[in-house]
Each structure stands twice: as structure tokens, then as C-alpha cells.
Amino acid sequence: MPPSLYVNLEGVNLCRHGSISIIQIYVLPNDHTYLVDVHSLGEAAFSMRSHGKRTLREIMESSTVPKVFFDVRNDSDALYSHFGVGLNGVHDLQLMEFATRRPPRGYVSSLQKCIQREVQMTAAELHTWKATKEKGLDLFDPGRGGSYEVFNIRPLSDDILKYCIQDVRFLPKLWEAYYPKLMPIWAKRVELAVKDRIMLSQSAAYLPKGERKARAPREWERYI
């Protein structure tokens, strides 16, 4: 069975040097996306407990609760640096895509490219997806005249709300595309590489930006 939880984060310069605004969690069995308002709640977002259930911190740190991210590095960096949340039980779709791609592999892919390649959409659905993406970028991308501070405005605008919800809902489709093609030896390599990504993101040596992030894990170079 596929994992139940698919996670993404938005923020202002999302890494140790910035802040977390929102955590998006798509729960596959419920077909519902939950937005956790970290900007407003702060530490309480991770420590609140409802009806005896696990806290968000306990879920994120559990090795027995699978959680699917796409490129976990800056998300992990931000969670650990600002709230001391050490991720466990993570599957990284970016690494899974690379591991199942035919050689020559070269660079890791972006989420947008993976969605365009793997998710089957009608012409109308594709138009809506692209329009939602573009409206969001116009609002938060400084290179397009936007500001990441839009993720901290409450209530969220409809365009930002749709942007936050949209991509995380496609992550199960990417899981379905990559997981069946993942050979056992590559599944193990991916598992180890995810742990390395998380460990590096928690270290003083981690650089949230840079060309190196576009390349495959260094230890994979002899296989590709």
C-alpha cells in the first residue's frame, strides 16, 4: 500500500536562514489536504495534541509513519533549525525519480517537470494546474515582482491557498509512477541517500542553495 501522508512546506526563504509559514499535508485515505499555520502557531503547531492523538512533532519524527516529500533537504533544514524537528521515515520522490530514470541520468528533476511528465491530465486540468502555478509565482516570486511574505498574510488569498493545495495532491501520483519501477538495490540506495540528505541538512556544513543541489548524490556517481 502507498504511504498515507504527503508533505510540503512553504515559507520565507525556506531554510535555516528564513522561516516556515505553512506545512501542507495531504492525507491520501481521506483525499484531503490540511494546512498547518506554523507562522501563527509557532512551536504549538508541533506540540498540540488532540483527543490523545500524536502531535505533529511525533508524526514527523516517527520512523514507523511513512511521509513522502519531494526534495526533503530545505524542508528538513527549516524544521530542524527552527523547531528542532528531526525527520524520520521519509521517502523522497526526487531521489526515487532519479533512481528509476534510464541512463544517462545527469541532474535531479524539479517537481514541476515530474508532474508534467508523469501525471495524466486533460487539457482543461493542465490549463488549471498551470494557471494556478503562474498566479502563485506572480504573488511570491521576487523575480516576478512578488514577495514570499504572501505566505504570512492571514487569511491566505484564494490564489495562494490554491497554490499550496495543488502540488501536494499530485505527490501520490508520482509515488505510483516511481515506486513500482524501483529495483531493490536502488530502493536501498534511495533509503540511504534520504537519510544522508536529512543528516546533511541538520549539519553546520549544509548550504540551502547552490548548483551542487541539482546533482545526484555523490555516492551514486559510480552507478550512473
Side-chain angles (χ1 to χ4, degrees):
M1 288 184 61
S4 296
L5 303 181
Y6 299 79
V7 185
N8 188 44
L9 278 68
E10 302 291 353
V12 179
N13 188 22
L14 183 67
C15 65
R16 64 187 62 189
H17 306 302
S19 62
I20 302 172
S21 302
I22 300 165
I23 301 177
Q24 303 104 284
I25 304 174
Y26 176 68
V27 181
L28 182 60
N30 297 348
D31 187 25
H32 190 81
T33 303
Y34 297 86
L35 302 185
V36 181
D37 188 354
V38 178
H39 174 68
S40 299
L41 294 172
E43 172 62 34
F46 301 93
S47 60
M48 287 192 300
R49 190 185 306 275
S50 176
H51 305 297
K53 295 181 180 179
R54 296 185 184 187
T55 65
L56 183 57
R57 176 184 296 275
E58 289 168 346
I59 291 170
M60 291 294 182
E61 294 188 337
S62 173
S63 60
T64 60
V65 179
K67 296 159 292 285
V68 182
F69 288 72
F70 189 98
D71 190 359
V72 72
R73 291 173 288 187
N74 277 15
D75 292 352
S76 172
D77 178 26
L79 287 166
Y80 187 75
S81 298
H82 299 303
F83 298 101
V85 175
L87 289 173
N88 274 301
V90 169
H91 300 266
D92 193 321
L93 289 166
Q94 188 181 59
L95 292 172
M96 291 172 65
E97 185 278 332
F98 189 91
T100 55
R101 196 192 313 162
R102 291 181 179 179
R105 294 184 174 95
Y107 296 88
V108 295
S109 295
S110 68
L111 176 58
Q112 183 170 343
K113 286 184 178 179
C114 289
I115 290 174
Q116 288 176 316
R117 283 198 299 256
E118 307 295 349
V119 179
Q120 299 297 315
M121 290 185 256
T122 65
E125 289 170 337
L126 182 61
H127 174 78
T128 299
W129 175 72
K130 287 183 176 180
T132 300
K133 175 75 72 176
E134 292 300 312
K135 286 179 180 178
L137 289 170
D138 286 342
L139 288 170
F140 72 74
D141 186 348
R144 299 170 66 153
S147 169
Y148 286 104
E149 292 292 340
V150 297
F151 290 114
N152 292 336
I153 296 172
R154 300 294 180 269
L156 291 172
S157 71
D158 286 344
D159 288 334
I160 289 297
L161 187 63
K162 290 176 183 176
Y163 179 88
C164 289
I165 291 172
Q166 177 173 263
D167 283 352
V168 75
R169 293 181 64 86
F170 286 119
L171 298 187
K173 296 292 185 183
L174 299 184
W175 174 274
E176 291 174 6
Y178 306 139
Y179 183 75
K181 296 189 294 185
L182 199 58
M183 300 294 291
I185 189 170
W186 275 103
K188 187 61 178 179
R189 289 170 185 163
V190 168
E191 179 185 348
L192 294 174
V194 173
K195 291 179 180 178
D196 286 345
R197 277 187 163 188
I198 292 172
M199 186 179 301
L200 176 61
S201 74
Q202 297 173 354
S203 74
Y206 180 66
L207 298 175
K209 298 179 182 179
E211 293 183 6
R212 177 62 201 171
K213 291 188 69 180
R215 299 199 63 84
R218 187 167 295 163
E219 60 272 20
W220 288 7
E221 291 178 354
R222 66 178 179 272
Y223 304 123
I224 60 177

